[in-house]
Structures are given as C-alpha cells and as structure tokens.
Amino acid sequence: MTSSKVSREEKGPIALELAKKQKSISVAEFFEKNRHMLGFDSLPRCLITCIKEAVDNSLDACEESSILPDIYIRIRKVDDKMLNIVVEDNGPGIHKDVLPRVFGKLLYGSRFHAIRQSRGQQGIGISAAVLYGQLTSGKPARITSKIDSKLPAYMYDLKIDTETNEPRILSERIDEFFTSKGTRIEIEMEAAYVRGRQSVLEYLKNTSIVNPHARFTFIDPYNERFTFERASDILPKKPVEIKPHPRGIELGTLVKMLQVTDIKKLSSFLNSEFTKVGGYTAENICREANIDPNMVPHDLSMDIEGVKRLLGAFQKIKVMSPPRDCLSPITEDLLKKGVIQNCNIDFIATASRPVNASRGNPFMVEAVIAFGGDIEREGKADIIRFANRVPLMYQQGACAITHAIERINWKHYNMEQPKNAKLPSGPIMVLVHIASTNVPFTSESKDAVADIPEIMDDVELAVRQCARELSRFLSEQKKALEARKKIRIFESYTKEVANALSVLTGKDEAHIEARFLDILNKKYSKFIEEIPAEDNAGGE
Amino acid sequence: MAKKNDAIISKLKNIGEGVLDDVESGHNPSMDIMTRSINNVHFDEASGVIKLGNDRQKRFYFNVNQAKKFLQTLLIAKQIKTLIEQDKPPLSIRQLFYTLKHEIPGAGENTFDVQEESDPIIEDIEAITDTLREDLNLIATPNGVISGPMVVEDKTGDVLDFTRMGSAGGAVPPIVEDDYFHIKEMSADYILVVEKYAVWNLLNQEKYWKKNNCLLMTGKGQPARAERRLLARFAEEFDIPIYIFTDMDPWGYYIYSVYKYGSINLAFFSEKAACPPAKYIGLSVRDVMDFQLPKSSWIKLNDEDNKRIEEISSYPWFQKERWQKELSDLKKFGYKIEQDALVSKSIEFTSNNYLPHKIENKEFLE
C-alpha cells in the first residue's frame, strides 16, 4: 500500500496506473524465481536433477540413433559449496545450429508435440540445469559436441539471457581433444554430494536397472570409480508416434480437436484423428451418442451436450487398446536382467500389464518384486518407482505407485505386515515402471505420478501378480526350511536312539547311528514332510 | 528273582532287536504297542475283570508325529534295563522321569518336558513286556491310608499294628506283595473303602473301625495301583465283604468300578488288581430320598458330568440293570452329591446312621 496523500483525481484512473506496471515475465525469469518447481530445491537434489537431466538427454539421443549408450559422469569438488559436473555420452551429437538453443533456451524441445514415449518432454530439463549453474556459480556451461568423425567437435561456453530466454554464447571454438562422436556438458553449480537413499549412486543404480542396454561410468568427488555394466545388448524398441486414444480423453481436449480439424465428416474425423477407431467403430460411437455421423465436427464443437454424449459413447463402445508400439516397455526379461545385474537377490518375479489408456494417452505398467539377498532385512519394503525409464527419487508418499501398493494386504501373500503399517516388512523390493506417451506427473519436477484410477489399478494388478509368485516362493522356502529343521532334529534324535539301542542290545552305537542316518538320507527324508504310506495313525 | 529279572531284561532287549532288524533291512523302524483304549479292552463276564485285547499299533521312528514318542520309549526301556541290571532300589515313576529328562543336543528340546509324557510310555512298556511296573523296578506313589485290626510285617522287618496308627493312619506302601507287606493278623468283619481322605479322617477320628470292627481305607480319590492291588489281595486272602463308599456322581461310580473290575488304561494289570466281591454302598440316588439329604447340599450336574455319565453307561461292566437304572436316575435327578455332604445332617450322621443302616439292610449296588 502506498502512503502518499495525493488525491486520486490528479492521477487519473487506478487501472491506468496499474496497467503501467504490468509486463510480461520471461519464462526463464519465472523459473529463476521458482526453481524448486523443476527440482532445484535442496543442494543434494540440485546435483541429482542436473545429472538426471543430462543423462536423460543422452539416453534419449542414443536410442533415437540406435546407439548403445555409454555414459560417463564425473563430479569434482571445486570448493566447500561448488561442484563441477561432467556428463559425456557416445550419442549422435547435436548440430551446432541448434546446440545453443537446446542448452540455452527453456521450453525448447523436439518432443513436446508428439504422442510418443520419451524421457524428456517439455524441454526445460537441461536448460534449467544450465540456468541454475549460472545463477549459483556465475559461470557459463560448457558444451562440446561432435556429430561426425569427419567433422570437428565444437565447444561452446554459454549462458541463458533470463530476460529474453535466449542463449548467450560467450565463446565458440573447436575442441581438438574431443575425438569421438557424442556430447559433453560441464556445469559448475552450488550443490552437495551425499550418499544413501536419495543419492547420485542410487539414481545411477536404478537408472541402470531400467536401462539394461546402457553402461554408466561414474567418478565420485573422492575419485572413486563405479561402473554399472550393460545387462543386455538389445536396444529398446523405438516408440512410434500415434494419435490419441478415445479412452479417457478429456472434454476440453475433444472440443479443441473438433474445432481445429479440417475434416468435414464426424465419422471420418473419429476414424482419422483417433487411434484404433475404424469405420465400423466410428459408426457405433455415433449411434451410441445419437449423433449423425455425417455431421461437421466443427458444428458439433459448439454443442457441448453433444460432445458430452460423444465422450460417453467413447467409454461405452469397446475400442481396442492402444497399440503397443507407441510405448517402449523395458520388457520383463530385461527388467529381470537389469535387477540381477545390479542387486544380489534370492528371488525375482516380474509382471507386465497390457497397454491401457487414460486421458487418451496410452500407458502400460511393468512391475518387479525382488526378495532376499542383500536387500535390507530390517524395516519396510523398498519401493523403487520409474516413469519412462527414469527413476523417481522424491515424494514417494505422494505418488500413485505408492498409493496403489499400499492398497494391497500383504498378509495374504505370506508376508509380514505389522498392524497399521501400509507396507510389508522384510527384505522386499517392489519396482514399478510406468511407460506412457504422457505420464501424468503431479508437478513439473516430475517426482510423483498423479492418482489416476486406471494407472493405480494396473499398478496394483501387476504388483499383485508378482506378489503371488513371491508368496509361492516363500511358502516353498518355508516348507524346505521346516523339512531341513526336521531332518536336523532327526539327526539329533538319532544319536539318542542309537545310544539307547546300543544299551538295550549291546550292539555298537556308532554302527547303529550310521545305519539310521543311511535310511534317513536315502529313503525317509521325503517322509519328513508327509506321513509314510505304510503308517497307520499313531497316538493312544 | 534273578531268573524273573533275566526274563524281563530279554524282553526289553527284544524291543531293541526288533528296531535294529527293521533298520538293517532298510525299513522304517517300528515298535508294536498294545492299544490301550476302550476299543481294545473287553469285559470278561466269567472272571468279572476288564481284560486287554490283542490290538496293536505300530509306532514308527521316521514319522514326524511319532518320532519323539519312539525315542522316549527306547529311552525308558533302556533306563529300566540299566536299573534292573545294576540292582538299584525301585525308583518312583517321577524319579525315572528325572533321570531321563535332559536336553537333546542339537534339537533344542528336552527328551521329556513333563511327567505326563513318560507315564503312559511306562504303561506301554508294561504292556509290551507283559510285566508289571513293580517288577520293572518302578513304583507308583501310593496315597492310601488304612486303620483297623490288622498287623503287618514290612519288608524292613518292622511290624506295623494298624490299630495304633493314630489320627493319620498307616500308609499303604508302594509295593504290597506278600514279600514286602506280609499280613500277619487280620480280624476285621468287613473292609470299608471311602473315596475321600476327609471322610476317612472323620470316620477315623470317631474310631468307626473300632466300633464296627472293620478295616477302614481310602485311596484319596482315584486309587493308585498299590491300593487296588492291596484290596485285590484282601479279596483273595480273606472271605469278608468289601464295601466302596464314594460321591454320588459318575466319577465316584467309576472309582468303584476300578476297584472292582480294573481300569481301561491298565487293563493288563486288572487281573492282579481287580476285586470282584466289592460292593457299592453309596451314595446312590435312592439315598437322597431315604435319608432326606437337604437340597442345599446338591450340586447341579455340568456338561462334563453328563458326558461322563454317557460314557460310563456304555461300558460293558456297567450294563447290569441296577447300574443302568442308577445312571439314568442320576441323569434325571440332575444333581450330584458329595459324600462329605452327609455332615449337613450332623457330624456323626455318616458313622452313626448312614453306614450302619446301609450295611444292616444290605442296601448295595453291585
């Protein structure tokens, strides 16, 4: 509030006064002030976010050009507060014409408009890291890229002009030492290197699990080297772009589609603008919605009631599930390999759900349950979440995956679940991967998946399927354990029996014991679990 | 004696030999155990004794439910053999339990936890070897006391006069065979066995045995073997009436039948321990009317009582019409009455009215 005593009349209308103050905010300025939205809040998290964005870009680029990713990450301490981060890949490289904008302009990307599964989407990830780096260290990011062995590698030092959201190139030269194809990014920023559950190491281990085709080399600030080897030489299938699926599309989206289409016939519109809607299905949908198939879509967009009926018909008429090829699931086999490569475990079960759709976006759920081995025995099960092959490291409690897992009563699956606990306890790891053309995150920082009922149901079903297998394994293990225990008991009984028989008959005790153990081992071990057939009921 | 012991030792050895034969031929080792349930006893009308049949069950070693019992059986057999060979004084079955109770190394459990585990196995071995516990050098702890006109020379050489045993009476020793418990004099007109010590004590205080010239004995509830064997000896050696006086409930009736016919569990012992001439003096349902026992002393029959009435009604040695009527009358009446309850009439009622009346008028059940 202003405290000036000048009367209002002299100044003219307030609105005019206020209008002078209004101006547009650059998106870069906005994120400078709201960087927590992009995952730059705590110092340890800034580090992980930066590495994650760079690694995501590298993986996406390699897969698009069918290269088995080989990614090198190095963190160096500059001083107490500053870290220097290098991420280098063997990817296709980035053409020098677009490179500055890829790294130096927010919301610049190639994938925002495509209905196709990819790690990055909005194009704010790596440029946000560059922005954060220049804000905290004052230094530019250094990007080197080589797109062809015959062409030289270009090295840029660049910053983001926050007012215009445009890259500012401070230097551009040829890097003679950069000899093989790929891209390297170096950023200095205020960050903290930690160990434990939410650490770079954990992130890389999990990334390695869901990207079994990639190799990661990591040098930590203490100069220790960690290698996450490839578990498979097969590249993930490239997802294909598709049209939206009618299942779960939102009213506003449908209205917009009807408005902008050039097609003059509703049935043809349905047929060509949606995936899995053929002529026959389109007719059925129109009949169900009680709308003339020959109607002009643009006219229908004016009639909200009509659009609502059409939306209702989408739910009623059976439309085939979206095609799998727009998604790139890890596949159960590779998930298994990825987990086994990275963790020492006693048991693993995997499950995958058929492709489903929510809000017109195809999605699919894959789950793994691993048990035993080196998994922490104390406390509750570990939940490890992934979306489009990216580990979700934060906000576990706010995520649909967690909520779906918490709906399960684990006692039904031979597991311990303390009273009032939402998760089972013991050496259990539950891993869930959601692949989708558009994962519905709760926020831009992409930490947690929103509670979409269709997704939660599929997560629950997939996890339950794994839990059933684990349950069988546990009960067999229990049986085997009991049998072993019984055999041990028999062995100790046999000493007593042999001694008693030796006293009764005068025969050699060691010989009697050996004969007894012979029979136990050869013949009667199997009877430890069941009563021998030649036996009648005992007791008094 | 030595010859008898040799025979017992070879029977015990046979148990072990049988098991070894199984093992050497690669079979699941087993022992034949006499079945000691109601299904394998029959009532021999001619001798009036409960006898054990020939049903046997196999007890296997390689069977989770039987392994421990199998082991316990061998342990007890071994221990008995050792005790006999070393000519040790008889052990009580509790002491035997303690000599064998130890932890089995590696199994995390004991050979025996409670005496209830070892007692039935001792009975198994008695049945397998067809040898009484007393001859296996084991003794059950008797509870019985006696007072009355009898003089006995004990194995120790002491002479016991049961008219001079004071208010506690003379104890029934664990072994009552003639060489341990030699009856030198006996001048009683009849023998009265009462179920409960409290009732025996009351009668003893009042010198009932002196006034009526009888032997007054109690087994303190369900009698141990020594009391039963002693009563059987009295019946064999003296031609005097034997009366059993218990509570009016199925448990009391059964105590009478154990004295008279033997028990299901120890059917193999019945021939030596049954006392066929024994008569049931009361309490009976008729007494309630005849002596006008006050309603305040009646106790309602509970489910367990009723179940036991059913069981007893089906036993062959309770098939006599008098007993079937008694049992169904009891069920109809719906109450049980303890023998102690007679004091509600007066303290001396039992000795001055009830017992003399019943004996004079020969009001017995048989």
Side-chain angles (χ1 to χ4, degrees), chain B residues 320-335:
Chain B
K320 285 181 184 160
E321 212 175 311
R322 292 285 313 272
W323 272 108
Q324 286 293 316
K325 185 172 181 312
E326 177 71 15
L327 286 161
S328 68
D329 284 354
L330 178 69
K331 208 176 165 77
K332 273 198 269 222
F333 178 56
Y335 292 92

Side-chain angles (χ1 to χ4, degrees), chain A residues 55-114:
Chain A
V55 166
D56 284 356
N57 285 354
S58 294
L59 289 170
D60 274 339
C62 287
E63 283 163 30
E64 278 171 22
S65 0
S66 304
I67 296 166
L68 284 171
D70 212 327
I71 298 171
Y72 168 89
I73 301 108
R74 193 205 66 201
I75 302 171
R76 221 162 26 82
K77 252 179 131 70
V78 178
D79 58 35
D80 276 352
K81 277 187 162 178
M82 295 290 163
L83 293 175
N84 174 287
I85 299 148
V86 170
V87 178
E88 189 178 315
D89 66 37
N90 60 339
I94 301 168
H95 197 276
K96 60 191 268 294
D97 293 352
V98 295
L99 185 144
R101 266 171 298 165
V102 167
F103 293 93
K105 184 176 169 70
L106 290 144
L107 292 174
Y108 181 84
S110 57
R111 305 187 194 98
F112 187 63
H113 303 283

Side-chain angles (χ1 to χ4, degrees), chain A residues 147-168:
Chain A
I147 55 171
D148 191 324
S149 51
K150 295 180 200 64
L151 293 172
Y154 287 94
M155 177 158 77
Y156 291 87
D157 286 355
L158 58 83
K159 281 188 168 183
I160 298 174
D161 183 330
T162 51
E163 280 199 20
T164 59
N165 185 22
E166 286 297 335
R168 203 148 51 81

Side-chain angles (χ1 to χ4, degrees), chain A residues 293-422:
Chain A
N294 297 317
M295 189 169 183
V296 179
H298 188 76
D299 295 349
L300 179 61
S301 71
M302 312 289 196
D303 169 16
I304 278 295
E305 288 310 311
V307 181
K308 278 187 182 160
R309 286 206 305 278
L310 187 63
L311 207 58
F314 281 170
Q315 308 312 316
K316 284 225 176 66
I317 299 297
K318 251 190 116 104
V319 181
M320 276 168 71
S321 283
R324 271 187 87 115
D325 55 11
C326 62
L327 297 176
S328 169
I330 300 159
T331 73
E332 292 183 44
D333 180 42
L334 288 183
L335 260 176
K336 243 180 213 158
K337 281 188 175 150
V339 173
I340 291 165
Q341 173 88 349
N342 284 286
C343 325
N344 171 23
I345 51 170
D346 296 337
F347 169 85
I348 184 165
T350 56
S352 56
R353 298 287 308 155
V355 176
N356 198 339
S358 104
R359 299 189 198 168
N361 291 305
F363 73 89
M364 123 169 223
V365 173
E366 299 172 292
V368 177
I369 291 185
F371 180 88
D374 293 342
I375 303 172
E376 179 62 49
R377 284 178 181 282
E378 298 302 316
K380 57 187 189 356
D382 280 338
I383 296 181
I384 305 180
R385 300 165 295 136
F386 299 92
N388 287 351
R389 296 175 184 257
V390 177
L392 307 179
M393 310 278 292
Y394 297 93
Q395 295 191 30
Q396 179 173 305
C399 184
I401 291 175
T402 312
H403 298 160
I405 292 171
E406 286 173 349
R407 296 199 298 207
I408 296 170
N409 180 347
W410 291 85
K411 284 200 167 137
H412 293 168
Y413 298 103
N414 273 332
M415 274 168 260
E416 280 176 28
Q417 186 170 15
K419 223 178 152 56
N420 301 329
K422 291 175 169 175

